[in-house]
Structure formats: C-alpha cells, structure tokens
Amino acid sequence: MNIEVAEPGRMTQTGSSLLRLIQNNNMPILDLLVRESIQNSLDAKDSSNTKYVEVEFLTGEFDKNSLNQEFDGIEKSLNKKFEKKENRYIAVRDYHTVGLTGKLHYQDVEDNQYGNLLKLVYEISKPQENEGSGGSWGLGKTVYFRVGVGLVIYYSKIINEDGQEESRLAASLVEDENDDNSLIPAFNGKYKRGIAWWGKEIEDNKTIPITDTEYIKKFLQIFGIDPYKADETGTTIIIPYIDTEKLLENNQTTYFDAEENEVHFSWQNTIEEYIKIAVQRWYCPRLNNIYYPHSKFLRAKINGRQLSFDDMEPLFKVIQYLYNRALGVDSDYDALENDDIAIKNETIELRKVLKKSAAGYVAFTKINRKILKMNYPDNKPNPFAYINCDIPNSDTNKPILCFTRKPGMIVSYEEIGKWVDGISETPNEEYIIAIFVLNSENDLVDTSPVLSLEEYIRKSEMADHTSWNDYSVNKTNPRIVNKIQNSVVRKISKEFSVNDEDNTSKLNSGLGKLFGDLLLPPENFGKKPSPITKNIKNIKQVEKHNDVSLMFDPSLNKYSSAGLRLTFDIKSKNKISKTGLVLSIESETGNITFNEWENKMGLKKPFEIIESNVEIVTVNDNKVNDIVSASIYEPCKRNDYCTVELLKDNTTALHQLNIEMSQPAIVELKITVHLLLCRRDIKPVFKLQKGDNE
C-alpha cells in the first residue's frame, strides 16, 4: 500500500493533539474500544430484514514481516521497533451493516455528504448526523489509535452507488510527531504532523482505498481473516501491535480481600474475557434483547463464540430486564418475579420544558446475593466489580444506577453523585439496582427548529459519552438533566425509605435485662477464644408465654475472637406454625430495636446474627433430630419440617430469626445463635416471637 503523509496547513490537527482529544483517564482503553466500535456498527445498520447487528471481536497473532512489507514508507521503522516475529492484534468485525460507504475521495464529495468512509478513515470531528446515533462529536474514533501503536487498518464491503458489491481497504496511523521513535517520515523532509494514510496512489502523496479484491484477500490472510461472503456487507477494523499486558492493566480498579491480598477476577486475565464482560457492561440493554424497541438488537461474538443470553452475568440480565420494564415490555426473563422481588417502574415527569411531561422512566429493584448468584456454588463477584467500581469496605452498599437513551448503550454507572445522593444505602447483603431510560420520542418546548429530547441529551454527552450535562437552548438553560436526577432520587428514596413501624408480632420474654447481663462478654475478652467463660452464673433461665417456653443456659455460652455463641431451647405446649427470636439493644429506658438504633439514632450496628442452627428435636412428640442452618451467606434455608430465615428488617444487621413450620405442630427446638460482636460495651437482648396457636 502506498503512503500519504499529512501535509502541514493552517488550523490542522497533529497526531499528538488528536491523541489528546479524548484522553479519558478514568475508563480503561478496552472499554472505550468496545463502546465506540459497537456504537459505530449499530449506527451503520443496514435496511435488511435481519433483526440484529452482529459484532465480532477477534484476537490473534500475525507475522510482522508479512505485514510490514505492505506499508510503504514505514517498513524499516516497524521492523526496527518490533523485534519479535510474532505479534498480537485485535480486530472488530460487524455484519448486517452498510459498511464504509460514500465517495472514495474528497474531490467527488457534493453538498458535504462525506459518507462513512471519509468520516471514519480520513476525518476527525465528523459525527453521525442521524438522530439516535451514538455521538455528536465524532471524536470517539480516536480511541482506535490508542489501542496499539496508532496503526489502524480498515476493510469494508459495501453495495456502491451502482448497486454493485465493492470491497475497500485502507489504513491510517496517528502518532506523537514529537516522539524520537516516530514512524512516519517528515513531509518533504521538513514537516511532521504525525498522521498518515495508506491505500492506492492516485497522484503524488494522494491515496484512495484499495478496491482490488484479490489484493484485499491476500492482505487479510496475514491475520487469518476471511473476506466477507457474497451478499454480506460490513466493516472490519484491525489494530496490530497491541500490548496485551498494558491493555489489561490500563485504568483497572485494584481489588483486595480481607487480608489485603490483591484479588484478580477472571476477566482481568485475558483480553477475550475482558471484552466479554465489557460488551455486557455497556450494552446489556440491547445485547440479545429481542424486545429492544428502537431498531435492531445487538449480537456479539468473541473469536467465533457467540455471547448468548445464557452467557450473560446475572447483574447484566437484571439490568436488561429493568430496561425492558422501564419501556413497558415484559420479557421472558422473569427470575426476579419468580423470587418475589418487587420491581418498581416510575415515570419521571417534568413540567413546562417538554411538550409531553414524561422525560423518561426509571425502573429499580432491591435484590440479594442469591439473585446475583454470589453464594455457593456460583460464587459470582460483587456487582461493583462488574462495573469497574470500588467494592464498598463497609456494612452497607451504595445504590447502583445507570442511564441510557435510544442507542441502548449505558452512558455511566453511578454509585455516588447527583444521580443517587439521597437514596438510602442497603445492608451489605442487598443491592439497589436502577436504570433510567430517556423518553426519546419527546420534544422540548419553544425551540426553533424543534429540538427533540433525544438530540438535546445526545449533544450534552461530551466527546467520551460518559455523562449528561445541561446547556443553554435559545439563551435559556432548561436544566432538564438536573431535574431528571432530582426526580429519580426522590422516586427511589421514597420507595426504600426506612419504615419506622415495627410490624413483627413479638412478645418480650421478660428476660431482657437478665439476658443482657448474661450475654455481655466479660471485660477485655476477644484476644483468644475460650470454650466456656467464667464469671457467669450457671443458672438456667426459663420464660413461658401461653403455648411457648424459652430456656437459656448461660453455661453453654462460648466466646471467640469473632463473637459469641449462644444456645436456647424452645418448646411448645400446643401446635404452633411460627416462632423465633428477635435481637435488640438494652438501654436504661427500655430495649431499643435495630431500626431505632440505626435509622433514628444514626448509630452503627453493635452486633448481629451471622449464623443460626435450628435442631428440630421432636415434632408432635416424635423424635426427629434434624438440623436446619441459616447464615449471613444463605439467610433462608428449609427442610421437610420448617423454614429458617434470618432477617434484617430495613437495617444493616441480621437481628431476627424466624422459624416457620411446614405444618402446625407441637415442637421442641434447640437453637444455636452465633453473634458477631462489633462493640463490647452494648448489651444484647433477645425477645421471643409469639407462637401462632392453631
């Protein structure tokens, strides 16, 4: 391929300035690549009856000698720069798109109709012009030059203006012209702009894409990539000389376990696994979503392997489900409904600034570890890791909110800031997940020409499309984004506000203060475990209430560095269907519930139940001796006789043990409760839940 070196000129970009245009220092380059490349493909969808656009990511190795000899003007520089014969590449290939259409050269352009080819390969700041497309800045394509050494190869097959199939091949290189090891030769031996193109030479230092199908086929074989088949159109972007290790390390969040050991998740080990997560992270609303309402949905492949709906991570399935619910679509994925998870869908209405009041829709839910498959045997990572955010090092979780418009790409995940400030945090076993979907069919009032809400937001996204911001229209700032954010926070916080009323049917066993004294560990304990603590009266305490009696034996208390293990016996005189224990905090003025302690007084939990073993000794005077164990990791367990559940009741601590019999029965239960003690100066108190008579 012949080289065309960018000539110096007035108000022209240099390679170094282009590389700084979208220097996003927060998002990993691989994420930027996935976001930009998929959006380009979706914007270029064809008009066929196919219901989806398919994007495939390819990785592999190539022979540097075979490639370098094709690049006139930089062959020797490439050979010197890269000593290894085999080097790695990454490619993005799409199907069911129109390809790089338009004129081959500027001299043929009329009425500023540049077409996809000139915009992507030869221009910067030439965005897509159709409403609902990805960006309005045209700068996103600069990410391609940052993935490798700045060299990018473009291959496309189109239907040209004559209705004939046509293949096109070109390449470009953008580099820092001030680098001592730059590849591009100086123009006329004097000037360096750090920009060059390769193709077929039509005159001195002027090229157009190569259209020779035989040459293109031979060139693609350097990477083991096949040309498009008959009747296929699309674009393949190849980026050679990538540094796998640097790409995986770029801007990655570092995670540590409880022992401060660095933790690596599976997708941080290979580019292929990372891309698999990144595609879901940013396009889960549209990926494999046959209900996507605006256009064709997205399918993705990685090295020939389809990324199916079943392959998607639970978090991203939930977000897609919420997206569909926000748009009023009931999809087949109903795992949330099967688990009796409440899903709310609220309309965000704005007055006076829009022709219709609906600015968009927010769908949200509160889910637990089970839904996210974080428990054994799946052991999925924390949802904050999936979105490349810090995992909270606390007893509570911040809400996770994302937002999107017509193209179906997640703009950003927010766990702090205006989108979520004011929404209550959840206990560390639960997560609030929410998505806001813009009402793209709405228009702003009093604008000339008419400005759609979709276009207003699209123009506010800035070059890297990671946020929405307000700006003035006709000398007035409508503050639409700010109003949407405030309304979203109000809707969600209202739903998950703390309910001060305690609706659980409980009866104080009368042992409150005594239990407080007996359960409080001795002073200075906690350094070493001891099987049985001294200085506790070996007096069994019994409390009876109607049909249920509770017995506590302090001699069975066991202390460890982590907490305290207690043993209780519950017996019923007549058949009951429910019973259990409730933990609270003793004070001089009476017992304090966990709701009052945390939500009214604003104090952190002093202790909580982390495990409970319920042994069913007898049922209707028949020996059973079966055990049901619930824990902080699996708070609800059941067997043939009963269901045992640990509850939080709008607090951060598991403080309630519910036991519900499968059938009303006369029971004898032996209960072991393991308390995690966060404070040593606060006295725990247990209450007996009233048994339901039959």
Side-chain angles (χ1 to χ4, degrees):
M1 290 191 289
N2 301 118
I3 187 172
E4 175 185 341
V5 179
E7 301 178 10
R10 295 177 178 178
M11 299 186 71
T12 54
Q13 292 278 5
T14 61
S16 57
S17 63
L18 285 181
L19 293 173
R20 288 194 298 266
L21 277 177
I22 190 169
Q23 194 75 287
N24 186 312
N25 293 317
N26 300 315
M27 188 176 293
I29 288 178
L30 285 174
D31 285 79
L32 290 170
L33 174 66
V34 166
R35 285 164 59 101
E36 177 65 20
S37 60
I38 291 181
Q39 195 56 68
N40 284 344
S41 297
L42 294 173
D43 287 345
K45 62 186 179 297
D46 63 21
S47 58
S48 68
N49 294 327
T50 308
K51 295 181 179 179
Y52 58 86
V53 168
E54 185 167 87
V55 180
E56 181 173 14
F57 291 86
L58 302 168
T59 59
E61 293 186 341
F62 65 94
D63 179 358
K64 76 162 188 177
N65 295 325
S66 299
L67 178 66
N68 294 353
Q69 66 182 1
E70 302 297 332
F71 282 90
D72 173 39
I74 63 169
E75 179 182 359
K76 291 182 179 180
S77 299
L78 284 171
N79 288 333
K80 182 179 178 181
K81 190 177 184 72
F82 300 99
E83 297 179 354
K84 289 172 53 179
K85 181 180 179 182
E86 299 294 329
N87 292 270
R88 292 191 61 80
Y89 74 90
I90 186 170
V92 187
R93 184 178 177 94
D94 62 38
Y95 301 86
H96 309 301
T97 62
V98 296
L100 298 180
T101 57
K103 303 297 184 181
L104 292 173
H105 197 267
Y106 290 96
Q107 61 192 19
D108 300 321
V109 173
E110 297 178 358
D111 298 326
N112 286 332
Q113 298 300 309
Y114 286 86
N116 293 339
L117 172 71
L118 296 180
K119 284 181 180 179
L120 182 64
V121 181
Y122 299 97
E123 280 289 341
I124 294 295
S125 302
K126 292 290 185 186
Q128 292 286 339
E129 296 172 354
N130 53 303
E131 182 179 304
S133 63
S136 62
W137 295 78
L139 303 179
K141 62 180 76 75
T142 61
V143 70
Y144 296 138
F145 306 120
R146 296 168 54 200
V147 176
V149 293
L151 183 61
V152 182
I153 301 161
Y154 307 88
Y155 158 62
S156 187
K157 183 163 169 246
I158 69 167
I159 304 297
N160 63 23
E161 295 175 345
D162 298 325
Q164 302 298 313
E165 292 185 348
E166 180 180 298
S167 295
R168 297 174 167 187
L169 177 69
S172 62
L173 172 60
V174 174
E175 64 179 2
D176 185 348
E177 71 281 0
N178 300 309
D179 192 333
D180 292 337
N181 297 315
S182 60
L183 299 169
I184 303 171
F187 179 75
N188 287 339
K190 296 181 180 180
Y191 307 104
K192 280 192 173 185
R193 278 185 55 196
I195 303 171
W197 299 270
W198 282 264
K200 176 184 176 181
E201 188 173 57
I202 55 173
E203 57 182 88
D204 185 37
N205 202 42
K206 291 289 184 292
T207 63
I208 61 172
I210 293 172
T211 57
D212 183 340
T213 55
E214 288 302 315
Y215 175 83
I216 292 174
K217 180 179 180 181
K218 178 183 175 183
F219 184 92
L220 293 175
Q221 284 306 305
I222 296 172
F223 303 96
I225 295 175
D226 294 325
Y228 287 105
K229 299 176 182 178
D231 299 327
E232 284 184 342
T233 58
T235 299
T236 302
I237 296 175
I238 307 169
I239 305 174
Y241 294 113
I242 64 169
D243 187 324
T244 300
E245 187 175 341
K246 284 185 178 180
L247 286 175
L248 288 172
E249 291 177 350
N250 177 259
N251 275 333
Q252 293 300 322
T253 302
T254 305
Y255 300 100
F256 298 92
D257 60 19
E259 285 75 36
E260 294 300 314
N261 297 315
E262 190 170 343
V263 176
H264 282 274
F265 299 108
S266 60
W267 62 84
Q268 295 176 311
N269 297 324
T270 69
I271 285 183
E272 295 79 11
E273 286 298 316
Y274 191 92
I275 289 173
K276 181 179 177 181
I277 294 298
V279 172
Q280 298 175 67
R281 179 183 294 153
W282 302 115
Y283 286 95
C284 54
R286 197 163 174 175
L287 179 63
N288 301 315
N289 186 2
I290 61 175
Y291 303 100
Y292 176 72
H294 300 298
S295 184
K296 299 186 178 188
F297 68 91
L298 170 66
R299 290 177 61 180
K301 281 184 179 179
I302 301 169
N303 286 336
R305 188 181 185 279
Q306 193 76 47
L307 176 54
S308 67
F309 182 81
D310 291 338
D311 293 326
M312 292 175 64
E313 299 296 325
L315 172 66
F316 301 121
K317 286 183 178 180
V318 169
I319 293 174
Q320 183 180 117
Y321 184 67
L322 292 175
Y323 174 84
N324 288 338
R325 285 293 297 269
L327 294 176
V329 176
D330 289 321
S331 63
D332 290 337
Y333 178 68
D334 58 357
L336 296 180
E337 293 179 347
N338 288 342
D339 284 276
D340 296 324
I341 303 298
I343 301 168
K344 297 292 291 184
N345 182 18
E346 299 280 355
T347 301
I348 302 301
E349 297 184 308
L350 304 184
R351 301 181 183 277
K352 299 181 180 180
V353 294
L354 300 173
K355 290 185 177 179
K356 298 178 182 178
S357 60
Y361 314 93
V362 60
F364 53 94
T365 187
K366 180 160 64 174
I367 56 179
N368 55 33
R369 294 170 60 96
K370 177 184 175 183
I371 299 296
L372 295 173
K373 295 189 177 181
M374 296 171 65
N375 298 328
Y376 178 83
D378 300 290
N379 298 320
K380 295 288 186 180
N382 189 293
F384 287 93
Y386 280 115
I387 61 175
N388 205 32
C389 290
D390 291 329
I391 297 176
N393 186 22
S394 65
D395 296 328
T396 59
N397 291 316
K398 294 180 173 65
I400 296 174
L401 181 140
C402 55
F403 48 98
T404 185
R405 55 182 180 85
K406 199 171 186 177
M409 182 185 78
I410 298 296
V411 175
S412 178
Y413 289 91
E414 303 287 327
E415 84 281 12
I416 58 173
K418 292 183 178 180
W419 283 99
V420 294
D421 285 352
I423 302 174
S424 299
E425 296 184 10
T426 57
N428 57 13
E429 298 297 306
E430 295 179 323
Y431 302 87
I432 292 175
I433 310 294
I435 184 170
F436 172 77
V437 183
L438 190 73
N439 179 15
S440 300
E441 308 305 319
N442 211 342
D443 296 322
L444 276 67
V445 298
D446 301 328
T447 58
S448 181
V450 174
L451 180 64
S452 69
L453 179 57
E454 171 75 15
E455 194 65 13
Y456 172 84
I457 295 296
R458 177 177 176 243
K459 290 180 177 179
S460 82
E461 283 183 352
M462 308 307 294
D464 55 4
H465 316 299
T466 58
S467 63
W468 289 350
N469 301 277
D470 283 308
Y471 60 94
S472 295
V473 178
N474 295 346
K475 300 181 180 180
T476 302
N477 191 330
R479 297 184 59 76
I480 291 174
V481 175
N482 181 263
K483 292 173 182 177
I484 289 174
Q485 291 168 335
N486 292 338
S487 185
V488 165
V489 169
R490 284 198 302 271
K491 296 285 187 183
I492 300 176
S493 60
K494 179 181 179 182
E495 181 65 25
F496 294 125
S497 61
V498 176
N499 184 4
D500 294 328
E501 183 179 358
D502 189 355
N503 294 319
T504 306
S505 175
K506 308 182 192 74
L507 179 71
N508 192 329
S509 68
L511 299 179
K513 190 177 189 308
L514 181 58
F515 272 13
D517 292 332
L518 292 176
L519 299 183
L520 186 67
E523 295 198 13
N524 300 322
F525 105 101
K527 299 298 182 183
K528 295 182 180 179
S530 56
I532 300 178
T533 305
K534 300 178 181 180
N535 301 326
I536 287 197
K537 299 178 181 179
N538 294 323
I539 302 175
K540 294 183 179 180
Q541 303 297 327
V542 180
E543 175 65 18
K544 296 181 179 180
H545 173 70
N546 292 340
D547 300 310
V548 183
S549 63
L550 172 69
M551 183 174 69
F552 168 66
D553 187 350
S555 68
L556 299 178
N557 288 1
K558 293 185 179 181
Y559 298 97
S560 68
S561 59
L564 171 63
R565 191 178 295 274
L566 313 163
T567 301
F568 303 90
D569 291 293
I570 291 180
K571 295 181 180 180
S572 68
K573 182 178 180 182
N574 296 311
K575 290 184 177 182
I576 62 170
S577 59
K578 295 179 181 179
T579 187
L581 298 171
V582 178
L583 182 62
S584 58
I585 298 111
E586 187 198 354
S587 75
E588 294 181 358
T589 58
N591 297 333
I592 302 173
T593 68
F594 270 75
N595 266 330
E596 294 170 331
W597 183 267
E598 293 189 6
N599 300 318
K600 284 188 176 181
M601 300 168 65
L603 300 174
K604 291 186 177 181
K605 64 182 180 185
F607 33 73
E608 75 168 327
I609 303 172
I610 60 173
E611 184 181 24
S612 182
N613 299 320
V614 177
E615 179 182 355
I616 303 100
V617 181
T618 64
V619 174
N620 295 327
D621 296 326
N622 297 317
K623 288 284 186 180
V624 175
N625 295 330
D626 196 2
I627 297 178
V628 184
S629 299
S631 71
I632 193 170
Y633 301 108
E634 294 185 272
C636 184
K637 296 294 289 295
R638 59 176 59 88
N639 66 4
D640 294 337
Y641 299 98
C642 68
T643 298
V644 175
E645 187 172 15
L646 297 176
L647 300 175
K648 295 186 177 183
D649 191 24
N650 292 326
T651 68
T652 64
L654 290 167
H655 64 276
Q656 183 172 329
L657 169 64
N658 281 356
I659 304 170
E660 184 170 352
M661 308 306 298
S662 301
Q663 299 290 336
I666 301 172
V667 296
E668 181 180 348
L669 308 173
K670 183 177 287 294
I671 302 172
T672 303
V673 176
H674 188 183
L675 286 183
L676 175 66
L677 300 172
C678 305
R679 291 182 60 173
R680 303 322 198 248
D681 58 337
I682 304 297
K683 295 183 179 182
V685 179
F686 276 95
K687 295 179 181 180
L688 174 68
Q689 287 198 71
K690 182 168 60 177
D692 291 347
N693 290 342
E694 297 296 330

